[in-house]
Amino acid sequence: MRLFQKHFCAIAISLWAASPGNAQLLVEPTLHIKAEAGSGRVALTLDACGGRTDTRILSALVENKIPATIFVTGIWLKHNAAAVEIMRAHPELFELENHGGRHVPAVDTPQRIYGIRSAGSPEAVLAEVESGAAALAVTGEPAPKWFRGATAEYSPSAIAMIRKLGFKIAGFSINGDGGSLLGAKETARRIAAAKDGDVIIAHINQPTHAAGEGVVQGLLALKAKGLTFVRLDDADGIGDEGTTD
Ligand SMILES: [Zn+2]
């Protein structure tokens, strides 16, 4: 009986901790780059959350000399050495930044975001950010200056912590591929609609999804319109929610 009570109590506590009433209000910060005279500049950011590499996108970037900021996790780095080698062979195109060690959302209370369990505590947020940076350091890349958490949603207290670690937080202004779940046509339409100062987010880790084809089409359309692409390190990023200032 005592064992049952103990067990029941543990369930009750875990239910309480996961209840929406206890969930922190999360923010999804935006990011723009400073507008410049001319035909316009956009920043392309691509997340490599886990899984493999979409070589349709990687090849198109290299062939068309389109610079991009790639947010990589420790998990992705471990299984995509060939892609990392290609990126490192083109330092003029690719800037690698921190997408966390294990791809857990930078939210310091226990809750689920799009079905993914959050880091859940300040210590776990810290570990996610620091292990992501450590995994990048092993590749020989310059130390990351930008962080983007899994799901791109944050608790305000996590934002403050990450800023204290010295990282800027990369929001976005155009959700290009809807988490890589959109069709090719809609993805291409969204990306091709980018204007001067926009920061696009899409994914480079889902080679089997139709969205990847749309990413390439959208980028080529932007290039044809005369827009130029910059990496986050080459532009003045202006984010809200205290993510860059
Ligand atoms: Zn991700």
Side-chain angles (χ1 to χ4, degrees):
M1 181 63 190
R2 187 175 287 173
L3 192 70
F4 170 77
Q5 273 180 349
K6 222 172 164 181
H7 185 60
F8 179 77
C9 199
I11 291 173
I13 287 171
S14 69
L15 279 177
W16 171 79
S19 74
N22 191 48
Q24 265 195 84
L25 218 52
L26 303 183
V27 292
E28 189 181 277
T30 60
L31 180 68
H32 286 88
I33 54 170
K34 231 183 189 165
E36 246 193 10
S39 41
R41 304 188 308 167
V42 295
L44 170 65
T45 68
L46 295 168
D47 290 1
C49 311
R52 296 293 167 188
T53 304
D54 192 332
T55 52
R56 295 168 297 184
I57 300 175
L58 186 57
S59 305
L61 297 178
V62 172
E63 279 164 26
N64 296 283
K65 298 188 170 55
I66 296 175
T69 305
I70 317 288
F71 282 91
V72 298
T73 65
I75 310 166
W76 184 85
L77 283 173
K78 214 178 259 177
H79 300 289
N80 291 274
V84 174
E85 205 172 301
I86 293 171
M87 291 173 188
R88 294 209 63 213
H90 295 91
E92 76 289 3
L93 295 182
F94 300 107
E95 170 189 337
L96 270 57
E97 296 289 351
N98 185 357
H99 196 33
R102 297 188 304 124
H103 204 248
V104 294
V107 172
D108 55 1
T109 49
Q111 52 186 291
R112 281 179 180 276
I113 304 112
Y114 303 120
I116 304 180
R117 200 191 300 249
S118 67
S121 69
E123 296 74 26
V125 170
L126 201 74
E128 171 71 357
V129 179
E130 289 188 329
S131 62
L136 259 171
V138 174
T139 67
E141 274 292 296
K145 299 185 192 76
W146 290 86
F147 177 81
R148 175 181 285 150
T151 74
E153 301 217 8
Y154 309 81
S155 48
S157 42
I159 288 179
M161 276 180 52
I162 297 162
R163 294 289 291 125
K164 243 184 218 159
L165 290 173
F167 292 96
K168 291 182 181 181
I169 294 171
F172 56 89
S173 64
I174 290 192
N175 185 344
D177 66 353
S180 91
L181 298 174
L182 292 175
K185 212 171 160 188
E186 174 63 9
T187 300
R189 191 194 64 76
R190 287 187 180 196
I191 292 176
K195 301 263 184 312
D196 186 28
D198 271 325
V199 176
I200 302 165
I201 184 177
H203 290 77
I204 193 167
N205 66 317
Q206 298 287 2
T208 61
H209 290 195
E213 191 191 318
V215 170
V216 174
Q217 288 169 3
L219 293 175
L220 295 181
L222 284 178
K223 200 176 178 217
K225 277 197 258 181
L227 272 92
T228 51
F229 296 88
V230 291
R231 282 108 39 109
L232 292 185
D233 264 354
D234 305 326
D236 263 337
I238 308 151
D240 62 359
E241 309 285 357
T243 49
T244 59
D245 47 4

